[in-house]
Amino acid sequence: MSTATTIDLIAEAQVTEERFLRQIFVRDQMAEWSKHPLIMARADGVHYWDVQGRRYLDALSGIYVASVGHNNRRVIEAIRRQLDVLHFSPPMHGTNPVAVQLANLLAELTPGDLSTVKFQCGGSEVTEAAIKLARQYHRLTGSPGKYKIISRYQSWHGSTLASLSASGLKSRKTVNEPMAPGFLHVFPPTCYRCPFGKTYPDCGVTCATIVEQVIAMEDPATVAAVMVEPIGHTGGVIDPPDEYLPILREICDRQNILLIFDEIITGVGRTGRMFAAETFGVVPDVLCTAKGLSGGYAPLSAMICRRPIADAFWGPIEENPGFVEGHTFEGNPISCAAGIAVLREILERDLLANARLQGERLRAGFEGLAAKYGVIGDIRGKGLFQAVEFVEDRATRQPFADGFGVKVGRRALDHGLLCRFDPNWIAFGPPLISTAEQIDEMVAILDQSLGEVLDECAATGAP
Ligand SMILES: Cc1ncc(COP(=O)(O)O)c(C=O)c1O
């Protein structure tokens, strides 16, 4: 089939046919996915419609991306205007006004002296850039032996090789091994299932303090950075105790190690403040953010570092090559115009306050479900980033053996609710524009789906 015929002949209604789906890789297991392919055709506000015209309530912002909702006119108009003026500037020769404006806006919105920004297209690119920045910073400041990166099991920092090496998810790593050298992992602050067998608050926050022992064993002269998501996602929305991030901050300060926050999800309002760094009252040396920054209207991510770190890259050319890192689409003017419009929308509509308010409503909704059904063992998260963990037995915290969370999540999808589901947990991350009624409807669909799956389990004798 010629290119022209392919474009002309595949009608939207036909794109679910397996012969056409065979021509594209998707993130899911493809053979399985193609049995019931979900292909979104359009979206508005907090709703998607698939190619068959079915409507879905978006309790996930796509994947924590659509911060200001779908079909947001302000962002679309900003992009249109920018397209008429400048759609691409030469990255090897400089930048463009919108990138500088967005960098300065982010410098104002991030806490402390986080101030110098590198723009990229996606989360993996900026966590990777942060790793390179940490290593190059230590070279430039007289500690060239510092190269190791400490991160956490169950974490996700991206799919490029260094960001994947920093990640701690065996399900996504093993097939790609061997990983890059120089990456170490520590246990995350999973209080509900403490890896040290302790109970908060009598635990002494071992999950944080042990990081200093790991550094001592490795030799502090070899460790460049500690990289964590303030609230870990892939382990089931791992919300640390209040002391956890401040302790990491102190350790990094003592050992001349950079603290990197991966706020790819938690940034741009998701936890009810512009950045989770504010939610937890800790300023990292480097903050990476993406997803909600452009609201999904164009690919955009940002790595923002503290002034003293940036200053190390500002020396005379004979001594200092600058930050040796770059991609073709960095600081793209269309993406940056989208980013500015998204931030304006969040600030002018006070969507941070809405995220806090609706986050409380979501929490109350999840608590209601926990009271109604005996299978919710824990509720975690902050603002509009929250999850429930399913257990077969609340007293023993025994997980289900058979992917209960996936069954519930799939049933919710059948009922028109998009959420993140895993064998043991379900997470919601709805757009920051969500109303109380929409949050209630999301919880109501989860309620219905959970009830139906439990009834079926009871009928079949499944656990
Ligand atoms: C916490 C976190 N970091 C990094 C990434 C990688 O971002 P991207 O998929 O845009 O490369 C993700 C993606 O889901 C993420 O959730």
Side-chain angles (χ1 to χ4, degrees), residues 29 52 114 123 153 208 214-215 217 223 228 241-242 273 281 313 319 351 365 369 378 421 448 455:
Q29 204 285 345
Q52 271 114 10
L114 285 162
Y153 292 116
V214 172
I215 292 165
M217 289 292 179
V223 181
V228 294
D242 289 347
R273 303 278 167 205
F313 292 82
E319 296 161 20
L351 295 179
L369 296 185
D378 200 20
F421 50 86
Q448 181 189 358
D455 285 348

Side-chain angles (χ1 to χ4, degrees), residues 82 85-91 96 327-334:
Q82 187 58 42
V85 178
L86 178 77
H87 83 283
F88 189 79
S89 59
N96 58 79
H327 291 272
T328 301
F329 285 98
E330 70 176 59
N332 177 270
I334 305 301

Side-chain angles (χ1 to χ4, degrees), residues 122-124 127 156-158 229 233 262 264-265 291:
S124 310
T127 53
W156 182 243
H157 298 295
E229 300 153 80
H233 174 234
D262 175 344
I264 306 300
I265 291 180
K291 293 189 186 279

Side-chain angles (χ1 to χ4, degrees), residues 188-210:
T190 43
C191 292
Y192 188 62
R193 299 184 185 284
C194 177
F196 305 98
K198 298 185 176 182
T199 306
Y200 180 79
D202 303 324
C203 59
V205 200
T206 305
C207 51
T209 56
I210 203 164

Side-chain angles (χ1 to χ4, degrees), residues 275-297:
F275 293 98
E278 296 161 80
T279 303
F280 289 100
V282 173
V283 180
D285 297 300
V286 186
L287 188 155
C288 300
T289 195
K291 293 189 186 279
L293 179 58
S294 70
Y297 289 86

Side-chain angles (χ1 to χ4, degrees), residues 15-58:
V15 297
T16 55
E17 291 174 23
E18 192 186 317
R19 64 195 165 122
F20 296 125
L21 296 180
R22 284 232 157 201
Q23 314 284 1
I24 184 167
F25 279 111
V26 294
R27 273 282 289 272
D28 220 340
Q29 204 285 345
M30 289 177 292
E32 193 57 32
W33 173 80
S34 66
K35 293 179 192 160
H36 308 282
L38 180 60
I39 303 188
M40 295 305 189
R42 68 186 183 91
D44 186 54
V46 299
H47 291 98
Y48 275 109
W49 284 262
D50 69 15
V51 285
Q52 271 114 10
R54 292 199 58 214
R55 196 179 84 148
Y56 299 84
L57 191 53
D58 185 7

Side-chain angles (χ1 to χ4, degrees), residues 2-248:
S2 76
T3 309
T5 350
T6 310
I7 294 168
D8 291 344
L9 285 191
I10 305 177
E12 197 173 281
Q14 280 183 298
V15 297
T16 55
E17 291 174 23
E18 192 186 317
R19 64 195 165 122
F20 296 125
L21 296 180
R22 284 232 157 201
Q23 314 284 1
I24 184 167
F25 279 111
V26 294
R27 273 282 289 272
D28 220 340
Q29 204 285 345
M30 289 177 292
E32 193 57 32
W33 173 80
S34 66
K35 293 179 192 160
H36 308 282
L38 180 60
I39 303 188
M40 295 305 189
R42 68 186 183 91
D44 186 54
V46 299
H47 291 98
Y48 275 109
W49 284 262
D50 69 15
V51 285
Q52 271 114 10
R54 292 199 58 214
R55 196 179 84 148
Y56 299 84
L57 191 53
D58 185 7
L60 192 55
S61 306
I63 183 71
Y64 307 105
V65 168
S67 47
V68 295
H70 303 276
N71 193 20
N72 180 297
R73 299 319 300 175
R74 165 182 262 164
V75 185
I76 291 168
E77 285 314 317
I79 289 174
R80 268 199 229 286
R81 278 196 304 276
Q82 187 58 42
L83 276 169
D84 285 339
V85 178
L86 178 77
H87 83 283
F88 189 79
S89 59
M92 298 292 286
H93 301 78
T95 185
N96 58 79
V98 252
V100 178
Q101 285 163 357
L102 180 57
N104 280 271
L105 182 53
L106 283 170
E108 261 180 54
L109 294 175
T110 42
D113 57 355
L114 285 162
S115 63
T116 304
V117 185
K118 180 83 171 172
F119 290 116
Q120 300 294 3
C121 294
S124 310
E125 286 178 3
V126 279
T127 53
E128 187 107 1
I131 291 165
K132 290 182 185 165
L133 183 99
R135 288 175 172 174
Q136 205 190 327
Y137 166 77
H138 288 302
R139 267 176 193 266
L140 289 168
T141 54
S143 306
K146 281 180 165 284
Y147 71 97
K148 291 177 190 162
I149 308 294
I150 298 180
S151 52
R152 300 187 307 210
Y153 292 116
Q154 293 184 286
S155 64
W156 182 243
H157 298 295
S159 346
T160 53
L161 198 53
S163 64
L164 184 64
S165 301
S167 300
L169 271 192
K170 63 176 188 277
S171 58
R172 297 184 190 174
K173 288 177 72 167
T174 307
V175 291
N176 289 306
E177 283 180 341
M179 292 288 115
F183 291 85
L184 306 162
H185 296 86
V186 292
F187 284 98
T190 43
C191 292
Y192 188 62
R193 299 184 185 284
C194 177
F196 305 98
K198 298 185 176 182
T199 306
Y200 180 79
D202 303 324
C203 59
V205 200
T206 305
C207 51
T209 56
I210 203 164
V211 174
E212 193 151 31
Q213 294 173 44
V214 172
I215 292 165
M217 289 292 179
E218 286 293 327
D219 184 355
T222 65
V223 181
V226 170
M227 177 153 82
V228 294
E229 300 153 80
I231 300 179
H233 174 234
T234 36
V237 182
I238 300 171
D239 197 357
D242 289 347
E243 302 87 335
Y244 179 84
L245 292 170
I247 293 173
L248 290 190

